[in-house]
Amino acid sequence: MIFASFRSIGAYYPENILSNFDLEKMVETNDEWIVKRTGIKERRIANEDEDTSDLGYKASLKAIERANIDIKDIDAVICATLSPDYLAMPSTAVIIADKLGISNVMAFDISAACSGFVYLLNIAKSMIESGAKKNILIIGAEKISKIMDYKDRSTCIIFGDGAGASIISATTDKSKSILDVSSFASGGHDELLNTPLDTQKMHMEGGEIFKLAVRSLSNDAKAILERNNKTKEDLDLFIPHQANKRIIDKVGKYIGLKPEQVALSIAKYGNTSAASIPMAVNDMYESEKLKNGDLILLNAFGGGLTWGSGLLYFNG
Ligand code: UT7
């Protein structure tokens, strides 16, 4: 039987730092409020001449190097983003593939907002288990700063730029595989989180989103553990979407996790939408909190509404 394995992780953190103190000079806010309400201290902002595909390309280089895979063995490139280089085409994945020197393979973007990386896991797992593909490069990449209204203090303080990528490969070893991925969507909430075509700036009603996020994330995390006969004690790390530390704390408490089981990178990078989970996985990997063979639970929520979870053995 063929399984899909999470074979490597890579990320790219743009160099420019936008701190809470910098934001104090841009909107009526303060460091104390932001830290208390979100857990964020700073976020990264891409350069003028860096677009989403550049961030995704740099994260992909790391993931490819760490998987120790020949670029010509990659047979699909899929990118999740809500801040693509172009409005609709060409896709960011095609541009990243070209920068990597990959051609003549399937490459496309998906739109699932902050749940994008978990959706990608689901797609890659299905393609690999069906035998259609063997090595898929999945990327979450965001230059959210270009669609941010830096006069809207309730939204601009949480978001940042960055990218994360992973190679998902075929394996016959179930103990190294992605066990399960859930992906859901429920429409009718356009007004809460959207990017209108006229302004091309993100609009978010944070308070409402907050409540819906806690409920969906908590229920889905519990359900995926139960469905796979795993308990909270079996989990080495819970790596949720880094939207707001207060959301993460509430979900962690609902599942009954110990603080050391919960991955937090939000203080340094803020909310990077589709890039936030792979950036957090990379952060755990580079700080040696995530090791080969660890059982991890990913948990995401975003515009749409979309949400989902991934339960997997890290094989990097
Ligand atoms: O990525 C996936 C989807 N997104 C999320 O999951 C984000 C979920 N939402 C959130 O993280 C939070 O709702 C925010 C961090 C965005 C906002 O925090 P909040 O605690 O929900 O604030 P609020 O919008 O309810 O505002 C509370 C108060 C208001 O003042 P009054 O009306 O009580 O006097 C705001 O005007 O805080 C005020 N406020 C601020 N004060 C200082 C709002 N933004 C700021 C600010 N600095 N930046």
Side-chain angles (χ1 to χ4, degrees), residues 54-71:
D54 298 301
L55 312 186
Y57 162 70
K58 287 176 186 162
S60 299
L61 282 180
K62 268 270 173 241
I64 291 166
E65 179 198 314
R66 287 176 178 160
N68 199 16
I69 187 175
D70 196 326
I71 271 186

Side-chain angles (χ1 to χ4, degrees), residues 28-30 33 37-38 114 153-154 157-159 193 204 206-207 209-210 213 241 243-244 246-247 271 301-302:
E28 206 184 318
T29 191
N30 58 78
W33 190 94
R37 304 302 294 167
T38 71
C114 306
R153 68 171 182 171
S154 65
I157 50 114
I158 72 167
F159 287 96
L193 194 42
M204 182 174 78
I209 289 285
F210 189 102
H241 170 41
N244 183 320
R246 288 190 297 127
I247 296 178
N271 179 344
F301 178 90

Side-chain angles (χ1 to χ4, degrees), residues 17-254:
I17 294 175
L18 180 69
S19 71
N20 292 348
F21 300 103
D22 296 326
L23 279 166
E24 284 182 6
K25 294 175 202 140
M26 297 160 70
V27 284
E28 206 184 318
T29 191
N30 58 78
D31 173 64
E32 195 192 342
W33 190 94
I34 301 174
V35 172
K36 192 163 159 240
R37 304 302 294 167
T38 71
I40 301 167
K41 292 186 178 145
E42 56 190 42
R43 65 286 298 136
R44 301 298 176 97
I45 302 294
N47 282 327
E48 280 278 307
D49 61 356
E50 269 179 323
D51 211 340
T52 302
S53 64
D54 298 301
L55 312 186
Y57 162 70
K58 287 176 186 162
S60 299
L61 282 180
K62 268 270 173 241
I64 291 166
E65 179 198 314
R66 287 176 178 160
N68 199 16
I69 187 175
D70 196 326
I71 271 186
K72 65 178 184 319
D73 293 330
I74 294 172
D75 44 21
V77 178
I78 323 175
C79 179
T81 184
L82 53 71
S83 50
D85 286 22
Y86 289 91
L87 193 55
M89 60 178 177
S91 71
T92 311
V94 167
I95 301 167
I96 294 171
D98 182 54
K99 286 179 176 160
L100 290 167
I102 303 174
S103 56
N104 298 319
V105 302
M106 171 192 272
F108 63 97
D109 286 359
I110 65 154
S111 167
C114 306
S115 310
F117 194 76
V118 167
Y119 267 59
L120 287 182
L121 269 190
N122 207 339
I123 294 166
K125 180 178 187 289
S126 308
M127 283 179 164
I128 284 172
E129 288 177 351
S130 71
K133 302 289 173 201
K134 289 197 170 52
N135 300 296
I136 305 180
L137 169 62
I138 59 170
I139 309 141
E142 302 284 9
K143 185 177 177 179
I144 300 183
S145 56
K146 70 180 173 183
I147 57 160
M148 191 47 61
D149 175 1
Y150 283 99
K151 291 188 194 76
D152 176 3
R153 68 171 182 171
S154 65
T155 304
C156 74
I157 50 114
I158 72 167
F159 287 96
D161 300 338
S166 171
I167 296 286
I168 310 295
S169 291
T171 180
T172 50
D173 187 346
K174 195 176 179 196
S175 71
K176 293 183 171 171
S177 74
I178 300 169
L179 297 179
D180 197 2
V181 187
S182 65
S183 312
F184 298 102
S186 180
H189 298 283
D190 308 23
E191 76 288 356
L192 297 182
L193 194 42
N194 57 43
T195 318
L197 269 175
D198 56 352
T199 64
Q200 295 191 21
K201 299 289 177 203
M202 186 192 293
H203 166 78
M204 182 174 78
E205 292 180 24
E208 276 308 302
I209 289 285
F210 189 102
K211 284 182 247 163
L212 290 163
V214 172
R215 198 184 315 146
S216 306
L217 289 166
S218 301
N219 292 339
D220 198 46
K222 262 208 166 167
I224 199 169
L225 286 174
E226 279 169 22
R227 198 163 57 239
N228 292 278
N229 298 315
K230 300 288 182 200
T231 64
K232 58 183 195 253
E233 288 82 15
D234 294 326
L235 278 184
D236 292 296
L237 271 178
F238 174 59
I239 312 184
H241 170 41
Q242 308 283 306
N244 183 320
K245 184 174 179 295
R246 288 190 297 127
I247 296 178
I248 298 172
D249 288 346
K250 280 181 191 292
V251 178
K253 201 169 160 203
Y254 179 82

